[in-house]
C-alpha cells in the first residue's frame, strides 16, 4: 500500500512540474529537451530527499514520533513504549516526589524529547484521569493534573519494588494458601488465585499457591473476606527435601524462564547506553531526563510480574540481579542531569514544583550523584549487586 501511495505521489509531482513548465515557459532560446532535463533533475533531487525522510520505527503507537536524539531514538525503538504508559512512568519517576502535581503544558514538554506529540499527551492524561490515576483541575485557561489518592497509593507500592536497595535474608519459611480446601464457586476461586498471583504467589498445584515471604498485612487484607474458604499454612521444608525439587518448584511456579527473557531484553537495550554515556561529559539535562525515563520504563516493565523472590532461591546466573545492578548504576549516572531538566520544565499553577525530598535521594540505597566506574563489572550489569558466589542449585531453606 505504501509503495502504491509513493508511486501516485511521484506521478502527481511530475504532473505538477510539467504543468508549471507549460504555464511558465523558459527563455525562447531554451530547447524543450533542456527544460525536460532540468525538471527531471529537480524531481530526482526531491525524490532522493523523500527517500531519506525520517521514518517511524515499527512498534510506535500513533502518538509517537522519532526523537531528535539518536541514542534516545534507538532505545525507544527497542522498547516500543505506549504513550500512556510513558506518562505513568514520568509521573512515578519525576513528578510524584515533587508533590505529584503538574501543569498539562509541563507534561507535554517533558514527553516531547521522548517523541510523544501534544495531542497524544492530552489524550493519555484524560484517560488516566478517567481511570482514577490523576485528578484534573482547571485554573483559568490552564489545566493541572494531580495524583489521585488511589494513584498515589499505586506509586508508593511500586516505589519499594523499583528503587529498593537490598532484600533482607530469607528465614526459610513458606506460606501456602489452599483455595480448594473448602468448597467454593469456581469463578470466585479463580479470582482469588489471580489476586494472590499479583501479591507474588506462585502456583504449586491446582488451587494451591505458595510464597517464600509474602507481606503479611497485604495477605491478611486480601483473605479477610475469604477466611472461611481458604486454608493458610506456614512452615519450612523438611531438611531431607532435595534442593533440585525446590529449584523445580520455583522455576515452574513463577515461570522464571519468561521473567529471565524480559530481564535479558532490558540488558540488551541499556548496556549500550551505559557504554555510550562514558564518552559524554557533561551530560545534557534533556538527554539525561529522556534516558532516565526510558530506563525506569523498561525496568518497570521487566519487573512487572517478578515476585522478587529471595536471593537464596534464585539461580546463581539470574539475569534479574544483573539488570538491577545496571539500572542502579545508570540511574545514578543520569539522575542529576535529569533533575536539572525537570526543575527547569515542571510548573504548577502555584509556580515551580517543589524540589526533590529525602525519599528521592534514598532511591537505590542512596543517590551519590556520581557515575560508577566503567571498569566495574557491576556498572554494566555483568555482576550482581550484593550477591556473592552461589552454588549451582538454590540453597535449601533454613
Amino acid at each position: 500500500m505504501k509503495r502504491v501511495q509513493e508511486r501516485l505521489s511521484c506521478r502527481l509531482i511530475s504532473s505538477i512540474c510539467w504543468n508549471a513548465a507549460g504555464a511558465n515557459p523558459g527563455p525562447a532560446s531554451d530547447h524543450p529537451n533542456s527544460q525536460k532535463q532540468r525538471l527531471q533533475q529537480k524531481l530526482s533531487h526531491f525524490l532522493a530527499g523523500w527517500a531519506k525522510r525520517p521514518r517511524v520505527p515499527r512498534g510506535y503507537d500513533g502518538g509517537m514520533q522519532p526523537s531528535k536524539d539518536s541514542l534516545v531514538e534507538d532505545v525507544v525503538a527497542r522498547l516500543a513504549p505506549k504513550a500512556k504508559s510513558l506518562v505513568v512512568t514520568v509521573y512515578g519517576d519525576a513528578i510524584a516526589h515533587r508533590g505529584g502535581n503538574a501543569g498539562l503544558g509541563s507534561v507535554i514538554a517533558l514527553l516531547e524529547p521522548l517523541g510523544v506529540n501534544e495531542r497524544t499527551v492530552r489524550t493519555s492524561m484524560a484517560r488516566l484521569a478517567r481511570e482514577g490515576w490523576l485528578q484534573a483541575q482547571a485554573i483559568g485557561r490552564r489545566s493541572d493534573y494531580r495524583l489521585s489518592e488511589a494513584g498515589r497509593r499505586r506509586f508508593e507500592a511500586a516505589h519499594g519494588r523499583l528503587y529498593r536497595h537490598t532484600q533482607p535474608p530469607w528465614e526459610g519459611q513458606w506460606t501456602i494458601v489452599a483455595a480448594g480446601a473448602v468448597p467454593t464457586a469456581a469463578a470466585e476461586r479463580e479470582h482469588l488465585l489471580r489476586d494472590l498471583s499479583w501479591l507474588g504467589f506462585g502456583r504449586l498445584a491446582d488451587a494451591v499457591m505458595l510464597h517464600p515471604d509474602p507481606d503479611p498485612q497485604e495477605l491478611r487484607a486480601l483473605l479477610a473476606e475469604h477466611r472461611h474458604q481458604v486454608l493458610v499454612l506456614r512452615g519450612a521444608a523438611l531438611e531431607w527435601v532435595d534442593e533440585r525439587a525446590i529449584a523445580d518448584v520455583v522455576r515452574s511456579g513463577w515461570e522464571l524462564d519468561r521473567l529471565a527473557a524480559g530481564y535479558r531484553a532490558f540488558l540488551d537495550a541499556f548496556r549500550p547506553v551505559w557504554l555510550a554515556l562514558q564518552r559524554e561529559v557533561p551530560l545534557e539535562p534533556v538527554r539525561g531526563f529522556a534516558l532516565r525515563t526510558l530506563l525506569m520504563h523498561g525496568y518497570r516493565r521487566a519487573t512487572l510480574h517478578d515476585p522478587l523472590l529471595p536471593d537464596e532461591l534464585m539461580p546463581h546466573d539470574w539475569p534479574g540481579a544483573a539488570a538491577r545492578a545496571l539500572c542502579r548504576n545508570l540511574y545514578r549516572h543520569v539522575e542529576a542531569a535529569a533533575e536539572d531538566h525537570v526543575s527547569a520544565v515542571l510548573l504548577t499553577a502555584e509556580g515551580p514544583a517543589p524540589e526533590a525530598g529525602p525519599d528521592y535521594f534514598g532511591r537505590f540505597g542512596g543517590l551519590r550523584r556520581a557515575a560508577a566506574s566503567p571498569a566495574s563489572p557491576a556498572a554494566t550489569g555483568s555482576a550482581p549487586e550484593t550477591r556473592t558466589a552461589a552454588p549451582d542449585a538454590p540453597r535449601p531453606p533454613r
Side-chain angles (χ1 to χ4, degrees), residues 222-265:
L222 174 62
L223 299 180
E225 59 183 271
H226 302 283
R227 63 181 181 271
H228 300 302
Q229 300 173 309
V230 297
L231 177 64
V232 182
L233 304 173
R234 183 166 177 80
L238 296 177
E239 295 181 357
W240 49 264
V241 173
D242 196 301
E243 296 177 358
R244 291 171 294 183
I246 296 176
D248 290 343
V249 167
V250 171
R251 181 170 296 279
S252 61
W254 283 274
E255 300 183 0
L256 292 192
D257 292 339
R258 179 176 60 85
L259 294 174
Y263 280 123
R264 292 191 185 100

mmCIF file of all heavy atoms in Angstrom, residues 222-265:
data_model
loop_
_atom_site.group_PDB
_atom_site.id
_atom_site.type_symbol
_atom_site.label_atom_id
_atom_site.label_comp_id
_atom_site.label_asym_id
_atom_site.label_seq_id
_atom_site.Cartn_x
_atom_site.Cartn_y
_atom_site.Cartn_z
ATOM 1 N N LEU A 222 -6.229 -9.310 51.872
ATOM 2 C CA LEU A 222 -6.798 -9.993 50.713
ATOM 3 C C LEU A 222 -7.703 -11.150 51.138
ATOM 4 O O LEU A 222 -8.774 -11.366 50.553
ATOM 5 C CB LEU A 222 -5.674 -10.504 49.813
ATOM 6 C CG LEU A 222 -6.101 -11.365 48.629
ATOM 7 C CD1 LEU A 222 -6.993 -10.571 47.677
ATOM 8 C CD2 LEU A 222 -4.884 -11.903 47.888
ATOM 9 N N LEU A 223 -7.300 -11.897 52.157
ATOM 10 C CA LEU A 223 -8.041 -13.085 52.567
ATOM 11 C C LEU A 223 -9.134 -12.795 53.588
ATOM 12 O O LEU A 223 -9.818 -13.730 54.036
ATOM 13 C CB LEU A 223 -7.078 -14.130 53.139
ATOM 14 C CG LEU A 223 -5.996 -14.642 52.185
ATOM 15 C CD1 LEU A 223 -5.123 -15.664 52.887
ATOM 16 C CD2 LEU A 223 -6.610 -15.235 50.917
ATOM 17 N N ALA A 224 -9.303 -11.524 53.960
ATOM 18 C CA ALA A 224 -10.283 -11.187 55.001
ATOM 19 C C ALA A 224 -11.672 -11.676 54.645
ATOM 20 O O ALA A 224 -12.382 -12.248 55.476
ATOM 21 C CB ALA A 224 -10.286 -9.678 55.242
ATOM 22 N N GLU A 225 -12.089 -11.492 53.404
ATOM 23 C CA GLU A 225 -13.442 -11.897 53.018
ATOM 24 C C GLU A 225 -13.512 -13.362 52.605
ATOM 25 O O GLU A 225 -14.587 -13.873 52.308
ATOM 26 C CB GLU A 225 -13.937 -11.017 51.871
ATOM 27 C CG GLU A 225 -13.069 -11.081 50.632
ATOM 28 C CD GLU A 225 -13.546 -10.133 49.548
ATOM 29 O OE1 GLU A 225 -14.386 -10.585 48.741
ATOM 30 O OE2 GLU A 225 -13.101 -8.979 49.537
ATOM 31 N N HIS A 226 -12.353 -14.050 52.593
ATOM 32 C CA HIS A 226 -12.336 -15.461 52.193
ATOM 33 C C HIS A 226 -11.845 -16.366 53.322
ATOM 34 O O HIS A 226 -11.534 -17.522 53.082
ATOM 35 C CB HIS A 226 -11.416 -15.663 50.976
ATOM 36 C CG HIS A 226 -11.775 -14.851 49.788
ATOM 37 N ND1 HIS A 226 -12.826 -15.174 48.947
ATOM 38 C CD2 HIS A 226 -11.236 -13.706 49.291
ATOM 39 C CE1 HIS A 226 -12.904 -14.268 47.983
ATOM 40 N NE2 HIS A 226 -11.955 -13.372 48.160
ATOM 41 N N ARG A 227 -11.770 -15.837 54.541
ATOM 42 C CA ARG A 227 -11.124 -16.609 55.611
ATOM 43 C C ARG A 227 -11.866 -17.897 55.946
ATOM 44 O O ARG A 227 -11.292 -18.801 56.554
ATOM 45 C CB ARG A 227 -10.970 -15.737 56.861
ATOM 46 C CG ARG A 227 -12.259 -15.259 57.487
ATOM 47 C CD ARG A 227 -11.945 -14.393 58.714
ATOM 48 N NE ARG A 227 -13.160 -13.930 59.378
ATOM 49 C CZ ARG A 227 -13.794 -12.809 59.062
ATOM 50 N NH1 ARG A 227 -13.320 -12.060 58.078
ATOM 51 N NH2 ARG A 227 -14.875 -12.444 59.711
ATOM 52 N N HIS A 228 -13.135 -17.991 55.567
ATOM 53 C CA HIS A 228 -13.882 -19.221 55.814
ATOM 54 C C HIS A 228 -13.773 -20.197 54.645
ATOM 55 O O HIS A 228 -14.354 -21.276 54.695
ATOM 56 C CB HIS A 228 -15.356 -18.914 56.070
ATOM 57 C CG HIS A 228 -15.584 -18.027 57.260
ATOM 58 N ND1 HIS A 228 -15.161 -18.368 58.526
ATOM 59 C CD2 HIS A 228 -16.175 -16.807 57.368
ATOM 60 C CE1 HIS A 228 -15.488 -17.399 59.372
ATOM 61 N NE2 HIS A 228 -16.103 -16.445 58.697
ATOM 62 N N GLN A 229 -13.031 -19.811 53.604
ATOM 63 C CA GLN A 229 -12.959 -20.635 52.392
ATOM 64 C C GLN A 229 -11.545 -21.037 52.021
ATOM 65 O O GLN A 229 -11.350 -21.702 51.003
ATOM 66 C CB GLN A 229 -13.596 -19.885 51.220
ATOM 67 C CG GLN A 229 -15.071 -19.547 51.456
ATOM 68 C CD GLN A 229 -15.605 -18.656 50.345
ATOM 69 O OE1 GLN A 229 -15.019 -17.643 50.010
ATOM 70 N NE2 GLN A 229 -16.727 -19.071 49.772
ATOM 71 N N VAL A 230 -10.541 -20.627 52.770
ATOM 72 C CA VAL A 230 -9.160 -20.956 52.436
ATOM 73 C C VAL A 230 -8.447 -21.509 53.664
ATOM 74 O O VAL A 230 -8.823 -21.232 54.809
ATOM 75 C CB VAL A 230 -8.393 -19.725 51.901
ATOM 76 C CG1 VAL A 230 -9.004 -19.218 50.619
ATOM 77 C CG2 VAL A 230 -8.349 -18.621 52.956
ATOM 78 N N LEU A 231 -7.403 -22.282 53.395
ATOM 79 C CA LEU A 231 -6.533 -22.798 54.439
ATOM 80 C C LEU A 231 -5.150 -22.208 54.235
ATOM 81 O O LEU A 231 -4.591 -22.292 53.131
ATOM 82 C CB LEU A 231 -6.466 -24.323 54.375
ATOM 83 C CG LEU A 231 -5.525 -25.012 55.374
ATOM 84 C CD1 LEU A 231 -6.007 -24.772 56.809
ATOM 85 C CD2 LEU A 231 -5.440 -26.506 55.076
ATOM 86 N N VAL A 232 -4.596 -21.566 55.254
ATOM 87 C CA VAL A 232 -3.285 -20.912 55.164
ATOM 88 C C VAL A 232 -2.332 -21.624 56.119
ATOM 89 O O VAL A 232 -2.616 -21.753 57.319
ATOM 90 C CB VAL A 232 -3.380 -19.410 55.515
ATOM 91 C CG1 VAL A 232 -2.020 -18.747 55.365
ATOM 92 C CG2 VAL A 232 -4.412 -18.728 54.636
ATOM 93 N N LEU A 233 -1.200 -22.070 55.594
ATOM 94 C CA LEU A 233 -0.184 -22.770 56.374
ATOM 95 C C LEU A 233 1.153 -22.063 56.202
ATOM 96 O O LEU A 233 1.418 -21.443 55.163
ATOM 97 C CB LEU A 233 -0.048 -24.224 55.913
ATOM 98 C CG LEU A 233 -1.318 -25.077 55.939
ATOM 99 C CD1 LEU A 233 -1.051 -26.427 55.288
ATOM 100 C CD2 LEU A 233 -1.802 -25.257 57.372
ATOM 101 N N ARG A 234 1.988 -22.157 57.218
ATOM 102 C CA ARG A 234 3.319 -21.563 57.133
ATOM 103 C C ARG A 234 4.317 -22.480 57.831
ATOM 104 O O ARG A 234 4.071 -22.967 58.945
ATOM 105 C CB ARG A 234 3.351 -20.170 57.763
ATOM 106 C CG ARG A 234 4.703 -19.473 57.632
ATOM 107 C CD ARG A 234 4.592 -17.988 57.966
ATOM 108 N NE ARG A 234 5.885 -17.319 57.924
ATOM 109 C CZ ARG A 234 6.483 -16.914 56.811
ATOM 110 N NH1 ARG A 234 5.899 -17.122 55.645
ATOM 111 N NH2 ARG A 234 7.645 -16.313 56.856
ATOM 112 N N GLY A 235 5.439 -22.720 57.161
ATOM 113 C CA GLY A 235 6.465 -23.562 57.741
ATOM 114 C C GLY A 235 7.607 -23.773 56.775
ATOM 115 O O GLY A 235 7.567 -23.340 55.611
ATOM 116 N N ALA A 236 8.659 -24.432 57.233
ATOM 117 C CA ALA A 236 9.851 -24.693 56.427
ATOM 118 C C ALA A 236 9.783 -26.080 55.817
ATOM 119 O O ALA A 236 9.128 -26.989 56.355
ATOM 120 C CB ALA A 236 11.098 -24.552 57.282
ATOM 121 N N ALA A 237 10.462 -26.269 54.711
ATOM 122 C CA ALA A 237 10.580 -27.591 54.119
ATOM 123 C C ALA A 237 11.462 -28.457 55.011
ATOM 124 O O ALA A 237 12.373 -27.964 55.678
ATOM 125 C CB ALA A 237 11.170 -27.493 52.719
ATOM 126 N N LEU A 238 11.191 -29.735 55.033
ATOM 127 C CA LEU A 238 11.994 -30.636 55.846
ATOM 128 C C LEU A 238 13.427 -30.702 55.323
ATOM 129 O O LEU A 238 13.681 -30.506 54.119
ATOM 130 C CB LEU A 238 11.368 -32.030 55.836
ATOM 131 C CG LEU A 238 9.963 -32.114 56.474
ATOM 132 C CD1 LEU A 238 9.415 -33.515 56.353
ATOM 133 C CD2 LEU A 238 9.994 -31.663 57.925
ATOM 134 N N GLU A 239 14.344 -30.972 56.213
ATOM 135 C CA GLU A 239 15.760 -30.907 55.867
ATOM 136 C C GLU A 239 16.151 -31.888 54.778
ATOM 137 O O GLU A 239 17.088 -31.646 54.016
ATOM 138 C CB GLU A 239 16.603 -31.158 57.116
ATOM 139 C CG GLU A 239 16.456 -30.071 58.186
ATOM 140 C CD GLU A 239 17.325 -30.345 59.398
ATOM 141 O OE1 GLU A 239 17.988 -31.413 59.408
ATOM 142 O OE2 GLU A 239 17.346 -29.512 60.319
ATOM 143 N N TRP A 240 15.418 -33.032 54.676
ATOM 144 C CA TRP A 240 15.826 -34.039 53.702
ATOM 145 C C TRP A 240 15.240 -33.797 52.302
ATOM 146 O O TRP A 240 15.502 -34.568 51.377
ATOM 147 C CB TRP A 240 15.420 -35.435 54.186
ATOM 148 C CG TRP A 240 13.999 -35.560 54.641
ATOM 149 C CD1 TRP A 240 13.546 -35.485 55.912
ATOM 150 C CD2 TRP A 240 12.854 -35.784 53.816
ATOM 151 N NE1 TRP A 240 12.186 -35.648 55.961
ATOM 152 C CE2 TRP A 240 11.728 -35.840 54.677
ATOM 153 C CE3 TRP A 240 12.649 -35.951 52.449
ATOM 154 C CZ2 TRP A 240 10.443 -36.044 54.215
ATOM 155 C CZ3 TRP A 240 11.371 -36.159 51.981
ATOM 156 C CH2 TRP A 240 10.282 -36.206 52.844
ATOM 157 N N VAL A 241 14.472 -32.719 52.143
ATOM 158 C CA VAL A 241 13.927 -32.403 50.817
ATOM 159 C C VAL A 241 15.071 -32.014 49.874
ATOM 160 O O VAL A 241 15.927 -31.200 50.211
ATOM 161 C CB VAL A 241 12.900 -31.256 50.913
ATOM 162 C CG1 VAL A 241 12.459 -30.812 49.519
ATOM 163 C CG2 VAL A 241 11.705 -31.701 51.735
ATOM 164 N N ASP A 242 15.072 -32.612 48.690
ATOM 165 C CA ASP A 242 16.145 -32.383 47.718
ATOM 166 C C ASP A 242 16.109 -30.944 47.201
ATOM 167 O O ASP A 242 15.051 -30.405 46.900
ATOM 168 C CB ASP A 242 15.997 -33.361 46.546
ATOM 169 C CG ASP A 242 17.266 -33.445 45.704
ATOM 170 O OD1 ASP A 242 17.689 -32.407 45.166
ATOM 171 O OD2 ASP A 242 17.830 -34.553 45.603
ATOM 172 N N GLU A 243 17.297 -30.358 47.077
ATOM 173 C CA GLU A 243 17.390 -28.982 46.579
ATOM 174 C C GLU A 243 16.833 -28.860 45.164
ATOM 175 O O GLU A 243 16.257 -27.825 44.799
ATOM 176 C CB GLU A 243 18.847 -28.524 46.593
ATOM 177 C CG GLU A 243 19.462 -28.447 47.973
ATOM 178 C CD GLU A 243 20.920 -28.060 47.909
ATOM 179 O OE1 GLU A 243 21.435 -27.895 46.775
ATOM 180 O OE2 GLU A 243 21.547 -27.913 48.961
ATOM 181 N N ARG A 244 16.998 -29.903 44.357
ATOM 182 C CA ARG A 244 16.511 -29.839 42.980
ATOM 183 C C ARG A 244 14.986 -29.770 42.925
ATOM 184 O O ARG A 244 14.424 -29.148 42.017
ATOM 185 C CB ARG A 244 17.022 -31.043 42.197
ATOM 186 C CG ARG A 244 18.533 -31.011 41.947
ATOM 187 C CD ARG A 244 19.034 -32.304 41.360
ATOM 188 N NE ARG A 244 18.890 -33.407 42.309
ATOM 189 C CZ ARG A 244 19.309 -34.650 42.066
ATOM 190 N NH1 ARG A 244 19.883 -34.941 40.903
ATOM 191 N NH2 ARG A 244 19.135 -35.596 42.984
ATOM 192 N N ALA A 245 14.337 -30.393 43.887
ATOM 193 C CA ALA A 245 12.873 -30.310 43.931
ATOM 194 C C ALA A 245 12.430 -28.879 44.201
ATOM 195 O O ALA A 245 11.472 -28.382 43.588
ATOM 196 C CB ALA A 245 12.328 -31.250 45.007
ATOM 197 N N ILE A 246 13.134 -28.203 45.102
ATOM 198 C CA ILE A 246 12.800 -26.808 45.397
ATOM 199 C C ILE A 246 13.063 -25.938 44.171
ATOM 200 O O ILE A 246 12.262 -25.064 43.818
ATOM 201 C CB ILE A 246 13.620 -26.313 46.600
ATOM 202 C CG1 ILE A 246 13.245 -27.107 47.848
ATOM 203 C CG2 ILE A 246 13.394 -24.820 46.821
ATOM 204 C CD1 ILE A 246 14.069 -26.769 49.060
ATOM 205 N N ALA A 247 14.194 -26.186 43.492
ATOM 206 C CA ALA A 247 14.515 -25.406 42.293
ATOM 207 C C ALA A 247 13.462 -25.596 41.213
ATOM 208 O O ALA A 247 13.065 -24.633 40.535
ATOM 209 C CB ALA A 247 15.892 -25.807 41.771
ATOM 210 N N ASP A 248 12.964 -26.816 41.032
ATOM 211 C CA ASP A 248 11.940 -27.076 40.014
ATOM 212 C C ASP A 248 10.629 -26.380 40.363
ATOM 213 O O ASP A 248 9.940 -25.842 39.487
ATOM 214 C CB ASP A 248 11.707 -28.577 39.874
ATOM 215 C CG ASP A 248 12.884 -29.292 39.220
ATOM 216 O OD1 ASP A 248 13.706 -28.596 38.593
ATOM 217 O OD2 ASP A 248 12.989 -30.527 39.366
ATOM 218 N N VAL A 249 10.266 -26.396 41.651
ATOM 219 C CA VAL A 249 9.045 -25.727 42.076
ATOM 220 C C VAL A 249 9.139 -24.221 41.803
ATOM 221 O O VAL A 249 8.190 -23.600 41.303
ATOM 222 C CB VAL A 249 8.775 -25.991 43.570
ATOM 223 C CG1 VAL A 249 7.699 -25.043 44.105
ATOM 224 C CG2 VAL A 249 8.342 -27.429 43.783
ATOM 225 N N VAL A 250 10.278 -23.627 42.112
ATOM 226 C CA VAL A 250 10.457 -22.190 41.895
ATOM 227 C C VAL A 250 10.409 -21.866 40.410
ATOM 228 O O VAL A 250 9.748 -20.906 39.981
ATOM 229 C CB VAL A 250 11.789 -21.724 42.517
ATOM 230 C CG1 VAL A 250 12.097 -20.288 42.105
ATOM 231 C CG2 VAL A 250 11.732 -21.836 44.040
ATOM 232 N N ARG A 251 11.076 -22.667 39.594
ATOM 233 C CA ARG A 251 11.133 -22.375 38.154
ATOM 234 C C ARG A 251 9.763 -22.498 37.501
ATOM 235 O O ARG A 251 9.383 -21.663 36.671
ATOM 236 C CB ARG A 251 12.131 -23.311 37.481
ATOM 237 C CG ARG A 251 12.284 -23.064 35.973
ATOM 238 C CD ARG A 251 13.443 -23.847 35.402
ATOM 239 N NE ARG A 251 14.698 -23.410 35.975
ATOM 240 C CZ ARG A 251 15.374 -22.330 35.566
ATOM 241 N NH1 ARG A 251 14.885 -21.581 34.586
ATOM 242 N NH2 ARG A 251 16.502 -22.007 36.134
ATOM 243 N N SER A 252 9.003 -23.513 37.858
ATOM 244 C CA SER A 252 7.697 -23.712 37.228
ATOM 245 C C SER A 252 6.613 -22.849 37.866
ATOM 246 O O SER A 252 5.734 -22.327 37.177
ATOM 247 C CB SER A 252 7.303 -25.187 37.305
ATOM 248 O OG SER A 252 7.195 -25.614 38.659
ATOM 249 N N GLY A 253 6.659 -22.688 39.184
ATOM 250 C CA GLY A 253 5.613 -21.943 39.867
ATOM 251 C C GLY A 253 5.602 -20.471 39.534
ATOM 252 O O GLY A 253 4.554 -19.820 39.579
ATOM 253 N N TRP A 254 6.780 -19.917 39.186
ATOM 254 C CA TRP A 254 6.855 -18.487 38.890
ATOM 255 C C TRP A 254 7.314 -18.204 37.464
ATOM 256 O O TRP A 254 7.645 -17.078 37.140
ATOM 257 C CB TRP A 254 7.794 -17.794 39.884
ATOM 258 C CG TRP A 254 7.169 -17.574 41.220
ATOM 259 C CD1 TRP A 254 6.395 -16.514 41.600
ATOM 260 C CD2 TRP A 254 7.243 -18.438 42.368
ATOM 261 N NE1 TRP A 254 5.992 -16.655 42.896
ATOM 262 C CE2 TRP A 254 6.498 -17.827 43.409
ATOM 263 C CE3 TRP A 254 7.863 -19.658 42.631
ATOM 264 C CZ2 TRP A 254 6.360 -18.400 44.658
ATOM 265 C CZ3 TRP A 254 7.725 -20.230 43.882
ATOM 266 C CH2 TRP A 254 6.982 -19.601 44.880
ATOM 267 N N GLU A 255 7.362 -19.214 36.628
ATOM 268 C CA GLU A 255 7.724 -19.038 35.213
ATOM 269 C C GLU A 255 9.011 -18.228 35.077
ATOM 270 O O GLU A 255 9.059 -17.173 34.426
ATOM 271 C CB GLU A 255 6.579 -18.373 34.445
ATOM 272 C CG GLU A 255 5.287 -19.165 34.468
ATOM 273 C CD GLU A 255 4.193 -18.512 33.650
ATOM 274 O OE1 GLU A 255 4.440 -17.443 33.059
ATOM 275 O OE2 GLU A 255 3.084 -19.069 33.610
ATOM 276 N N LEU A 256 10.073 -18.712 35.670
ATOM 277 C CA LEU A 256 11.338 -17.981 35.672
ATOM 278 C C LEU A 256 11.900 -17.777 34.274
ATOM 279 O O LEU A 256 12.564 -16.764 34.018
ATOM 280 C CB LEU A 256 12.363 -18.719 36.539
ATOM 281 C CG LEU A 256 12.113 -18.752 38.051
ATOM 282 C CD1 LEU A 256 13.356 -19.256 38.763
ATOM 283 C CD2 LEU A 256 11.702 -17.383 38.579
ATOM 284 N N ASP A 257 11.644 -18.706 33.372
ATOM 285 C CA ASP A 257 12.184 -18.552 32.016
ATOM 286 C C ASP A 257 11.612 -17.315 31.336
ATOM 287 O O ASP A 257 12.333 -16.571 30.654
ATOM 288 C CB ASP A 257 11.877 -19.799 31.185
ATOM 289 C CG ASP A 257 12.640 -21.027 31.683
ATOM 290 O OD1 ASP A 257 13.663 -20.843 32.368
ATOM 291 O OD2 ASP A 257 12.206 -22.168 31.401
ATOM 292 N N ARG A 258 10.316 -17.093 31.520
ATOM 293 C CA ARG A 258 9.693 -15.898 30.916
ATOM 294 C C ARG A 258 10.214 -14.623 31.564
ATOM 295 O O ARG A 258 10.496 -13.637 30.884
ATOM 296 C CB ARG A 258 8.167 -15.980 31.050
ATOM 297 C CG ARG A 258 7.417 -14.786 30.483
ATOM 298 C CD ARG A 258 5.922 -15.003 30.572
ATOM 299 N NE ARG A 258 5.480 -15.180 31.934
ATOM 300 C CZ ARG A 258 5.193 -14.162 32.765
ATOM 301 N NH1 ARG A 258 5.335 -12.909 32.341
ATOM 302 N NH2 ARG A 258 4.787 -14.396 33.994
ATOM 303 N N LEU A 259 10.353 -14.637 32.891
ATOM 304 C CA LEU A 259 10.897 -13.474 33.577
ATOM 305 C C LEU A 259 12.326 -13.196 33.139
ATOM 306 O O LEU A 259 12.715 -12.037 32.939
ATOM 307 C CB LEU A 259 10.845 -13.688 35.085
ATOM 308 C CG LEU A 259 9.460 -13.764 35.734
ATOM 309 C CD1 LEU A 259 9.590 -14.124 37.202
ATOM 310 C CD2 LEU A 259 8.726 -12.443 35.576
ATOM 311 N N ALA A 260 13.129 -14.254 32.989
ATOM 312 C CA ALA A 260 14.522 -14.085 32.579
ATOM 313 C C ALA A 260 14.620 -13.458 31.196
ATOM 314 O O ALA A 260 15.497 -12.618 30.937
ATOM 315 C CB ALA A 260 15.242 -15.427 32.606
ATOM 316 N N ALA A 261 13.723 -13.832 30.290
ATOM 317 C CA ALA A 261 13.736 -13.256 28.942
ATOM 318 C C ALA A 261 13.491 -11.752 28.992
ATOM 319 O O ALA A 261 14.125 -10.981 28.249
ATOM 320 C CB ALA A 261 12.688 -13.944 28.074
ATOM 321 N N GLY A 262 12.598 -11.308 29.861
ATOM 322 C CA GLY A 262 12.345 -9.874 29.997
ATOM 323 C C GLY A 262 13.552 -9.129 30.531
ATOM 324 O O GLY A 262 13.872 -8.023 30.064
ATOM 325 N N TYR A 263 14.255 -9.721 31.478
ATOM 326 C CA TYR A 263 15.450 -9.074 32.021
ATOM 327 C C TYR A 263 16.578 -9.034 30.989
ATOM 328 O O TYR A 263 17.335 -8.057 30.918
ATOM 329 C CB TYR A 263 15.907 -9.799 33.275
ATOM 330 C CG TYR A 263 15.119 -9.429 34.510
ATOM 331 C CD1 TYR A 263 14.464 -10.395 35.268
ATOM 332 C CD2 TYR A 263 15.025 -8.101 34.928
ATOM 333 C CE1 TYR A 263 13.744 -10.059 36.400
ATOM 334 C CE2 TYR A 263 14.303 -7.749 36.056
ATOM 335 C CZ TYR A 263 13.663 -8.738 36.785
ATOM 336 O OH TYR A 263 12.947 -8.391 37.906
ATOM 337 N N ARG A 264 16.717 -10.088 30.199
ATOM 338 C CA ARG A 264 17.766 -10.080 29.167
ATOM 339 C C ARG A 264 17.477 -9.022 28.107
ATOM 340 O O ARG A 264 18.397 -8.375 27.601
ATOM 341 C CB ARG A 264 17.872 -11.465 28.527
ATOM 342 C CG ARG A 264 18.410 -12.536 29.484
ATOM 343 C CD ARG A 264 18.752 -13.822 28.738
ATOM 344 N NE ARG A 264 19.142 -14.860 29.680
ATOM 345 C CZ ARG A 264 18.341 -15.826 30.103
ATOM 346 N NH1 ARG A 264 17.077 -15.867 29.657
ATOM 347 N NH2 ARG A 264 18.759 -16.726 30.963
ATOM 348 N N ALA A 265 16.206 -8.838 27.770
ATOM 349 C CA ALA A 265 15.855 -7.777 26.816
ATOM 350 C C ALA A 265 16.206 -6.408 27.384
ATOM 351 O O ALA A 265 16.683 -5.518 26.663
ATOM 352 C CB ALA A 265 14.362 -7.851 26.473
#
